[in-house]
Every structure is written in structure tokens, then in C-alpha cells.
């Protein structure tokens, strides 16, 4: 059954350049109804630019986006009506109350009368803001603003919900609430496009994940499929003190080391077989004068996949 | 109508944000009232300019003045008294029986024939506006008659006559003033109306600025992407901003016109004509402010430039003092401002003229609006993108 479903969103070779910079480099993917798709990539990877093209906010330089069968562009009102868009930055009128914000954006997407009233009430409830409905959003905490920011994108029960890094700058408690509600909405049959640079969020929420770097989708699949791309490789996390760069350079020369990157007082290595190569790696590091503070062999995860594919850590 | 939705939302925000109400209503109304209060010859909402004249029967030039100027003065605004000597006229000014006197000396005809000659204007500090008006009338007349010099003598009320001070205030006015059409000059706009209209049009530019800068505000609030993602045409965002600015401008003008009519006895003239001028004036203000908004990077920068432009245009356009009394160059320059055309249009309406009298000024204002509006609309298209 799943195979037969027509995709709700289809992106084909979308492209956006800013001068010499290729912000989005021929990105193609699709999302099925009810599916949660994650775009996982570090800051500056091109997630927001991709999303803005899909939401019809930005004109692409090439390629095509179709939402619910309709071509999307900045003037495509039919396609836009199917989309609920939650921008990365809070987009609320600080001098309007929570319900005024909801009613304004609700009217803008074409709701009116009892439907609008009912939806406003439901969203306030969903976001836990019923008691603060008549307060100006300027008086809200960061977490409350984030919740309302998402709620506005849901006001017209869109077929496709687009969330751009909705948990950035949010306290852990609110973050959890956001993740839970996204999960709930996906279970209600809504298609969700979710961008993040947090591996755990992508792992937890997304049915399928596209790993994006430098404007390109470098790998795509379910979490399991992506981890299998590691091909049985292991990830080592080695804490060090002292200068790390000589240690990185030295270990990179070893046959058993596939990728290595230097983080904050730690090295991350993708190795063919951790157990048999560990002694050689440790010796090499110690010889460069660095001191090892700890060693962990990690479960293969998306972070390891990203490192394997790009030679970079997901977070700097 | 998404544009209407956006405009209504903006109006609500502007009403909540007290600065729009302050600049749109309280400041202009307050200043108009204060200005009209410091004018002593305004009483019970009725302004009558008590003007004295000396020597108009005794000279040919005086006769011309009588037939060409005095007889044409609006009798509801001016009361003219003749005095036989300058001394008697001076005493009448001291008693404030009249507020200013225009004096034709006995030898004026001969002096003019010889290429000189002076008309004197006696004014008092107690009635400065009336003095200005008498000066303006005399200057305009003097401008007509080549070679006539004008001198001013200000009687110091209650201070006796200080001859030196008097001499110091006697000025020989250069005779390069253009003759302004006495039928439709500021002369016919009474002082309360002048200040009410001047303040209203001056602050109008600040009021519409709130509407126009709304687009930059959407950007800083982060709400622009959300508007762009909504299923509406991007042009309706611009239309919404224009509509909000227009509504703010018209509402504040309407309130000011009613309030100043009732509070300080301003007489704005034929309602249809005034309506035309208000609509065209608001449109021109929006156009100019919108062009500036497209040049600025931030809302703050926009508002700074807009304020400077609003003040310069207001001063130049005669919002605070009648420019036609200044040098000719200023009077010409003022025509580059909507303010001057708005005030001129009201002047044309004064004295009970029908709406047709306001048509030339309305067309000029619409000219400003269309020229700047087209530029702004073209430039704004790039502002409703990310
Ligand atoms: N308006 C713009 N002008 C120039 N460069 C831009 C613009 N928007 C984004 N970029 C660049 O495009 C790249 C991708 O940005 P973005 O899509 O915001 O990444 P992400 O959302 O993944 O952090 C970055 O290098 C960014 O600097
Ligand atoms: Mg981003």
C-alpha cells in the first residue's frame, strides 16, 4: 500500500545560488502522506534555503517543487494553501495577543467563522496557551513563543507541515513537548518536513532522513539504511588533552582509520574494526605527545554516518 | 481580501502603539491649539483683523490701494478703519483699537515718481500675526508698484516710544517680491485655520510613516516569511501597507479637521473640496514616505530619514509660517512640497469657494502621489522577497 501512495511533496533538482555560493545544489527528494522526513545537516548546509523554496517564499534558480500535485512558486496560492510553514525564527506580532495572532494568520490562509474560532481554540489547547490566549505575545517566555509559532503553522490543518529547526534555543522541557506534538501530528496523517542539526531529533522523529551538506543531499534513507552505509565500521571517541592536530594528522595516515576529525578536546574516528586497531591508534596518538583522557567505542549513529560521508562533525 | 486583512491588522497594531496616536492626533491638535492661543486677536473662534489705514484719500497711490486692495478684502475677516494722521493711528494701535496700520505718507506720489517712496506699516508686539498680515498685504502691494519702499515701525506697547528702537526696526524692504495673487493667498486663510491645516499636514507625514514602514517592521518581527508563505499574492502585502497608511492618514486628518473646527474655530471650507485635498494630500505623503522606506535598510533608519524629510518639507512648504511672505525663491521652492499645495488649495477654498477651486492643488498633489507611488511600488517589489 505504502508504495502506491503518490508523494505529497516532490522536489526535483532544486537549485539556488547566491553569487558564487551554491546554497542548494540540485536537491531532490519526496515525502509521502503521513511521512516525517528529516533534513539533517550542520549550520549553513542549505536547509533553510531548501525549505524556503519548498514553501514558495523564495524563487529557485532551477528545478521544480510540487505540493499535492500543484507546482509551487512565490505566486502559487493553490500550492501554498496545502502547506503549513513554521519559520526558523519566531514569527509573531509581539503587540497582538496569542489568539489575535492565530486569528490573523488563520484568516490569511482562508479560514473564517466558526471554523476559525474552533481551530483557534484547538491550537491554543494544543500549545498549552489557553490561559494566556488574551495576553500579548511580547509577554511570553521563549518556549511559549516557540509553541505558538508552531501552532500558527497548524491553524488550517495543512497536508504538509514544514518545520525549520523548531527546537533551536528551546529549553529541554519545551523541546520535549515540541517533539511529542510533532510525533502526534505525523501520526494523524500529516506529512512533515523537519530540519535540524540535532542527530537525536532526526533519529527520534523521522521516518526517512536526508543528510545535507554544502547544499547537497549526500545520503538518504531510514536511520537503519543510513547506518548500514557505514559498512560495519565503528566510531571511536577519544578524549585528549594537549595539541590535537598532530594526533589527527598521524592517525589519519593509519590504514585502519577511514575518517578522523578533531572536536573540542576530543577526536572522532571512523575505523574499520575498533577492537583490532585500538592499540595501534592509541600508540600513534601518545607518540604525538597528546594525552588520552578517555576512549569510547560508540554505537553506529547518524553522527558517525555524517562524519563518514563528509569528514566533518555535525556540530562544530 | 488579504490586503484588507493586513491593513486592519496594522491599524490595530498602530492604535495599540501609542506613538501613532500621539503623532497623528495629539501633537498636531495640541500645537494648533497652542499656536491659536498665543494669537491675541482670536476671540470666540472668530478672527477679525482690525486694520488701520492712513493717507489713502490724499494720494493717487493710496487711491489705487483702496480700490485694488482694501475694497477686495474679505469683510468677514477684515475691519478697516481710516485715520487722518499717523499720530492718531499710532495711538489707536497703542490702545489695540486696531492691530496694525498701513500708512501712505503725504508725499508718496512725488516720491514714487522720483523712483523712491515708502509705505509704512505700524505694528505692535501685542498682535504679531496681524502685523505679519498687514506687512504681507503692504509688501505685496509695494511689489506691484516699482520703487516703493516699505518701512516698518513697531510701537512698543506700554513702554512709551523708544525712538532708537523704533528706528532700528525700520527696515527698507527690498522690492523683489513677486506679486502673489491677493485673491487666493494666505491672506484669506484665517489664522486658526492656517495653523490647524499647517500642523495637520505637517504631522500627516509622520502618521503615514507608520503605515509605510510596516513592511520593514514585518521583516524585523520575522513575520514577513510567514506572510510570503501564506496563500496570497505578494502584491497584496504591499497593498495592505498602503491601505493602512491611507486609513491612518485620512482618519487623523478627519479627526483633526473636526477637532480644530470645534476647538479653535478653524474654517476649512467646502467639505467636498477639503475631502479632495485630504485624499490627494494623504496619497502624496504615502508616496514620498514609501520611497524613503525603500531606500532604508532598517525601520529605525527609515524613520530617521523620514522624520528629517518631513520636517524639511514642512518648513519649506509653509506648515509653520506663510512662505509667501518670505523671499521669492522660498515661495517658488515651496511649490516642490505637497504641504504648500495643500495649504494653497485650502486658501483657494477659503471664503466659501466651491470644490472646483481646489482642483488645481488636488491635481498637483495627485501628481506627487503618482510619481512617488510608482517609484515606491517598483522598488517595493524587491522588499516582499527574502
Ligand atoms: N540571502 C542570502 N544571501 C547570501 N547567502 C545566503 C543567503 N541566504 C543563505 N545564504 C547562504 O546559503 C548557505 C545556506 O544557508 P541556510 O539555507 O540558511 O543554511 P541552514 O539553514 O542549513 O543553516 C549559507 O552559506 C548561507 O550563508
Ligand atoms: Mg537554517
Amino acid at each position: 500500500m505504502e508504495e502506491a501512495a503518490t508523494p505529497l511533496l516532490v522536489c526535483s533538482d532544486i537549485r539556488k545560488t547566491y553569487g558564487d555560493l551554491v546554497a542548494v545544489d540540485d536537491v531532490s527528494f519526496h515525502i509521502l502522506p503521513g511521512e516525517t522526513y528529516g533534513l539533517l545537516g550542520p549550520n549553513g548546509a542549505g536547509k533553510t534555503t531548501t525549505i524556503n523554496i519548498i514553501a514558495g517564499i523564495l524563487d529557485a534558480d532551477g528545478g521544480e517543487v510540487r505540493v499535492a500535485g500543484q507546482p509551487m512558486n512565490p505566486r502559487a496560492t493553490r500550492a501554498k494553501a496545502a502547506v503549513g510553514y513554521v519559520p526558523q525564527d519566531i514569527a509573531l506580532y509581539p503587540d497582538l495577543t496569542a489568539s489575535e495572532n492565530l486569528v490573523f494568520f488563520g484568516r490569511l490562509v482562508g479560514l473564517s467563522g466558526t471554523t476559525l474560532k474552533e481551530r483557534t481554540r484547538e491550537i491554543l489547547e494544543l500549545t498549552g496557551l489557553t490561559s494566556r490566549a488574551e495576553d500579548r505575545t511580547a509577554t511570553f517566555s521563549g518556549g511559549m513563543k516557540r509553541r505558538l509559532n508552531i501552532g500558527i503553522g497548524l491553524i488550517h490543518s495543512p497536508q504538509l507541515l514544514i518545520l525549520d529547526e523548531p527546537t533551536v534555543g528551546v529549553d529541554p522541557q519545551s523541546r520535549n513537548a515540541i517533539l511529542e506534538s510533532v510525533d502526534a501530528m505525523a501520526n494523524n496523517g500529516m506529512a512533515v518536513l523537519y530540519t535540524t542539526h540535532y542527530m537525536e531529533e532526526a533519529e527520534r522523529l523521522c521516518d526517512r532522513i536526508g543528510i545535507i551538506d554544502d547544499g547537497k543531499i549526500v545520503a538518504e534513507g531510514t536511520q537503519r539504511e543510513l547506518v548500514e552505509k557505514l559498512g560495519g565500521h565503528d566510531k571511536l571517541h577519544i578524549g585528549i588533552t594537549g595539541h590535537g592536530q598532530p594526533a589527527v594528522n598521524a592517525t589519519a595516515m593509519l590504514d585502519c582509520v577511514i575518517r578522523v576529525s578533531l572536536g573540542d578536546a576530543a577526536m572522532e574516528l571512523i575505523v574499520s574494526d575498533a577492537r583490532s586497531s585500538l592499540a595501534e591508534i592509541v600508540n600513534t596518538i601518545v607518540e604525538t605527545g597528546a594525552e588520552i583522557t578517555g576512549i569510547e567505542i560508540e554505537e553506529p549513529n547518524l553522527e558517525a554516518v555524517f562524519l563518514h560521508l563528509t569528514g566533518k562533525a555535525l556540530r562544530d | 481580501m488579504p490586503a484588507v486583512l493586513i491593513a486592519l491588522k496594522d491599524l490595530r497594531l498602530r492604535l495599540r502603539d501609542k506613538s501613532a496616536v500621539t503623532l497623528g492626533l495629539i501633537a498636531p491638535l495640541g500645537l494648533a491649539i497652542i499656536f491659536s492661543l498665543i494669537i491675541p486677536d482670536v476671540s470666540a473662534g472668530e478672527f477679525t483683523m482690525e486694520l488701520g489705514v492712513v493717507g489713502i484719500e490724499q494720494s493717487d497711490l493710496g487711491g489705487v490701494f483702496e480700490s485694488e486692495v482694501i475694497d477686495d478684502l474679505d469683510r468677514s475677516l477684515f475691519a478697516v478703519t481710516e485715520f487722518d494722521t499717523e499720530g492718531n493711528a499710532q495711538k489707536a494701535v497703542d490702545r489695540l483699537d486696531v492691530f496694525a496700520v498701513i500708512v501712505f505718507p503725504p508725499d508718496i506720489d512725488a516720491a514714487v515718481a522720483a523712483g523712491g517712496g515708502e509705505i509704512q506699516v505700524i505694528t505692535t508686539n501685542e498682535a504679531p500675526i496681524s502685523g505679519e498680515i498687514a506687512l504681507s498685504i503692504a509688501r505685496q502691494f509695494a511689489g506691484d508698484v516699482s520703487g516703493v519702499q516699505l518701512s516698518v515701525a513697531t510701537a512698543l506697547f506700554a513702554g512709551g516710544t523708544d525712538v532708537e528702537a523704533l528706528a532700528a526696526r525700520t527696515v527698507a524692504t527690498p522690492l523683489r517680491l513677486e506679486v502673489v495673487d491677493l485673491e487666493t493667498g494666505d491672506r484669506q486663510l484665517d489664522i486658526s485655520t492656517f495653523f490647524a491645516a499647517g500642523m495637520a499636514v505637517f504631522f500627516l507625514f509622520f502618521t503615514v510613516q507608520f503605515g509605510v514602514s510596516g513592511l520593514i517592521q514585518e521583516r524585523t518581527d520575522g513575520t514577513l516569511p510567514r506572510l510570503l508563505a501564506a496563500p496570497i499574492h505578494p502584491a497584496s502585502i504591499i497593498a495592505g501597507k498602503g491601505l493602512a497608511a491611507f486609513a491612518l492618514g485620512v482618519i487623523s486628518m478627519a479627526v483633526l479637521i473636526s477637532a480644530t473646527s470645534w476647538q479653535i474655530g478653524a474654517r476649512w471650507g467646502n467639505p467636498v473640496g477639503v475631502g479632495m485635498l485630504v485624499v490627494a494630500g494623504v496619497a502624496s505623503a504615502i508616496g514620498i514616505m514609501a520611497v524613503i522606506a525603500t531606500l532604508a535598510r532598517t525601520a529605525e533608519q527609515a524613520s530617521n530619514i523620514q522624520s528629517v524629510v518631513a520636517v524639511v518639507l514642512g518648513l519649506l512648504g509653509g506648515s509653520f509660517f506663510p512662505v509667501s511672505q518670505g523671499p521669492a525663491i522660498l515661495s517658488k521652492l515651496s511649490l516642490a512640497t505637497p504641504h504648500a499645495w495643500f495649504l494653497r488649495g485650502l486658501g483657494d477654498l477659503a471664503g466659501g469657494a466651491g470644490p472646483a477651486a481646489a482642483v488645481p492643488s488636488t491635481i498637483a498633489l495627485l501628481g506627487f502621489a503618482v510619481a512617488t507611488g510608482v517609484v515606491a511600488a517598483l522598488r517595493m517589489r524587491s522588499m516582499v522577497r527574502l
Side-chain angles (χ1 to χ4, degrees):
Chain A
M1 290 304 284
E2 198 84 331
E3 288 84 357
T6 33
L8 189 62
L9 170 72
V10 182
C11 303
S12 321
D13 297 322
I14 54 176
R15 188 173 181 80
K16 182 80 189 177
T17 52
Y18 293 110
D20 286 340
L21 178 84
V22 185
V24 179
D25 194 353
D26 292 338
V27 163
S28 302
F29 65 97
H30 68 271
I31 306 181
L32 297 173
E35 193 178 32
T36 301
Y37 186 95
L39 268 184
L40 175 67
N43 281 326
K47 303 183 295 293
T48 298
T49 309
T50 303
I51 267 191
N52 284 345
I53 291 169
I54 293 170
I57 293 171
L58 207 58
D59 251 325
D61 294 329
E64 192 195 36
V65 177
R66 278 184 175 268
V67 179
Q70 305 278 341
M72 175 62 91
N73 64 60
R75 291 154 300 281
T77 50
R78 299 255 303 275
K80 284 184 182 180
V83 175
Y85 166 72
V86 179
Q88 179 169 352
D89 301 316
I90 302 272
L92 302 170
Y93 296 106
D95 288 330
L96 293 186
T97 68
S99 61
E100 283 167 348
N101 269 287
L102 282 165
V103 166
F104 170 69
F105 286 110
R107 289 222 167 92
L108 218 53
V109 294
L111 300 183
S112 62
T114 48
T115 323
L116 178 60
K117 243 190 192 158
E118 193 55 25
R119 281 303 290 164
T120 304
R121 198 187 54 74
E122 284 170 19
I123 299 289
L124 285 169
E125 208 161 292
L126 182 77
T127 53
L129 293 170
T130 307
S131 63
R132 300 292 303 272
E134 303 312 321
D135 292 343
R136 294 187 320 130
T137 60
T139 66
F140 284 12
S141 71
M144 293 162 78
K145 286 182 192 166
R146 278 273 161 210
R147 268 148 42 209
L148 184 59
N149 198 43
I150 296 173
I152 290 172
L154 289 167
I155 186 91
H156 58 308
S157 315
Q159 291 173 269
L160 172 66
L161 177 66
I162 300 179
L163 295 152
D164 195 3
E165 307 214 34
T167 59
V168 167
V170 169
D171 60 281
Q173 209 174 338
S174 294
R175 181 177 173 179
N176 213 39
I178 289 169
L179 295 180
E180 267 167 26
S181 56
V182 172
D183 225 4
M185 283 173 290
N187 290 336
N188 276 341
M190 201 180 279
V192 180
L193 172 55
Y194 191 99
T195 79
T196 182
H197 65 270
Y198 295 118
M199 171 202 70
E200 317 85 62
E201 291 185 2
E203 284 179 348
R204 172 171 165 186
L205 288 176
C206 301
D207 301 316
R208 280 191 306 131
I209 295 158
I211 295 182
I212 184 168
D213 185 45
D214 283 338
K216 287 194 195 61
I217 292 195
V218 291
E220 186 189 66
T222 62
Q223 191 192 341
R224 181 187 293 270
E225 285 165 357
L226 288 170
V227 168
E228 278 168 6
K229 283 191 197 295
L230 282 173
H233 300 322
D234 293 324
K235 188 181 172 212
L236 277 177
H237 178 99
I238 302 181
I240 50 168
T241 58
H243 287 296
Q245 199 54 51
V248 168
N249 294 343
T251 49
M253 306 295 286
L254 298 173
D255 282 343
C256 58
V257 173
I258 295 159
R259 291 279 193 187
V260 56
S261 85
L262 185 62
D264 186 19
M267 296 166 63
E268 311 269 358
L269 300 98
I270 304 291
V271 296
S272 45
D273 181 1
R275 233 164 293 200
S276 65
S277 53
L278 190 56
E280 191 186 4
I281 291 168
V282 169
N283 280 336
T284 310
I285 294 172
V286 173
E287 273 169 24
T288 66
E291 219 171 289
I292 295 179
T293 57
I295 299 176
E296 272 174 73
I297 302 177
E298 287 178 359
E299 278 285 294
N301 59 19
L302 291 177
E303 194 114 36
V305 176
F306 189 80
L307 177 60
H308 178 59
L309 291 171
T310 68
K312 290 189 272 189
L314 203 44
R315 270 171 280 172
D316 358 83
Chain B
M1 282 301 284
V4 176
L5 278 177
I6 292 170
L8 287 174
K9 182 268 297 172
D10 276 10
L11 286 180
R12 186 193 290 245
L13 284 176
R14 295 289 79 87
L15 288 180
R16 226 160 258 188
D17 166 8
K18 302 292 180 293
S19 50
V21 178
T22 310
L23 280 175
L25 296 177
I26 298 171
L29 189 57
L31 282 180
I33 291 174
I34 289 167
F35 279 142
S36 68
L37 282 181
I38 57 176
I39 303 161
D41 41 13
V42 172
S43 56
E46 279 297 315
F47 171 78
T48 310
M49 160 91 192
E50 296 282 352
L51 181 67
V53 285
V54 177
I56 60 169
E57 307 288 355
Q58 286 76 35
S59 64
D60 290 344
L61 194 65
V64 173
F65 185 74
E66 180 168 28
S67 63
E68 297 298 318
V69 180
I70 304 255
D71 291 352
D72 278 355
L73 289 179
D74 184 342
R75 292 294 152 190
S76 66
L77 295 177
F78 288 88
V80 181
T81 316
E82 276 189 58
F83 296 95
D84 49 358
T85 66
E86 200 183 324
N88 287 341
Q90 180 74 55
K91 279 178 200 144
V93 172
D94 288 346
R95 289 193 302 268
L96 279 182
D97 287 346
V98 293
F99 300 142
V101 180
I102 298 175
V103 182
F104 287 79
D107 61 349
I108 185 76
D109 288 342
V112 169
E118 279 190 357
I119 304 170
Q120 292 177 330
V121 178
I122 304 169
T123 61
T124 164
N125 290 338
E126 293 299 302
I129 302 297
S130 293
E132 282 299 317
I133 293 171
L135 267 170
S136 165
I137 293 172
R139 272 194 190 123
Q140 286 169 2
F141 179 72
D144 267 343
V145 187
S146 160
V148 178
Q149 293 271 323
L150 176 71
S151 74
V152 190
T154 302
L156 300 173
F157 186 73
T161 311
D162 181 335
V163 180
E164 263 180 49
L166 209 87
R169 282 164 188 261
T170 299
V171 289
T173 309
L175 293 177
R176 51 191 167 76
L177 276 182
E178 296 245 311
V179 179
V180 179
D181 183 1
L182 288 176
E183 294 300 317
T184 57
D186 301 317
R187 177 176 66 88
Q188 291 199 351
L189 204 55
D190 71 81
I191 293 305
S192 300
T193 312
F194 171 75
F195 280 122
M199 289 304 101
V201 69
F202 177 74
F203 282 99
L204 171 65
F205 278 69
F206 291 91
T207 310
V208 303
Q209 173 205 316
F210 285 100
V212 168
S213 301
L215 201 52
I216 306 176
Q217 192 64 46
E218 301 277 6
R219 207 177 265 274
T220 31
D221 280 349
T223 43
L224 185 61
R226 189 158 249 155
L227 293 183
L228 294 175
I232 59 173
H233 196 283
S236 51
I237 303 173
I238 300 176
K241 299 297 163 189
L243 214 55
F246 190 77
L248 278 173
V250 170
I251 292 170
S252 86
M253 289 299 281
V255 173
L256 285 174
I257 289 170
S258 329
T260 53
S261 305
W262 168 66
Q263 270 292 322
I264 58 175
R267 280 168 298 185
W268 288 75
N270 180 284
V272 177
V274 172
M276 283 163 28
L277 289 170
V278 165
V279 167
V282 171
S284 69
I286 291 173
I288 290 173
M289 290 296 149
V291 169
I292 298 171
T294 66
L295 299 174
R297 295 301 304 153
T298 63
E300 196 182 15
Q301 196 187 13
S303 122
N304 288 342
I305 307 175
Q306 284 168 333
S307 302
V308 171
V309 170
V311 170
V312 170
L313 288 180
L315 286 171
L316 201 58
S319 264
F320 293 93
F321 54 87
V323 212
S324 54
Q325 291 181 10
I329 177 82
L330 194 61
S331 178
K332 281 240 172 63
L333 263 180
S334 77
L335 295 183
T337 69
H339 303 64
W341 287 101
F342 182 78
L343 294 171
R344 174 188 269 229
L346 287 175
D348 292 343
L349 285 175
V359 167
S361 296
T362 304
I363 290 174
L365 288 169
L366 288 178
F368 280 102
V370 171
T372 52
V374 167
V375 174
L378 288 176
R379 292 190 55 89
M380 280 204 173
R381 286 198 313 196
S382 68
M383 290 178 81
V384 289
R385 284 183 210 141
L386 283 188

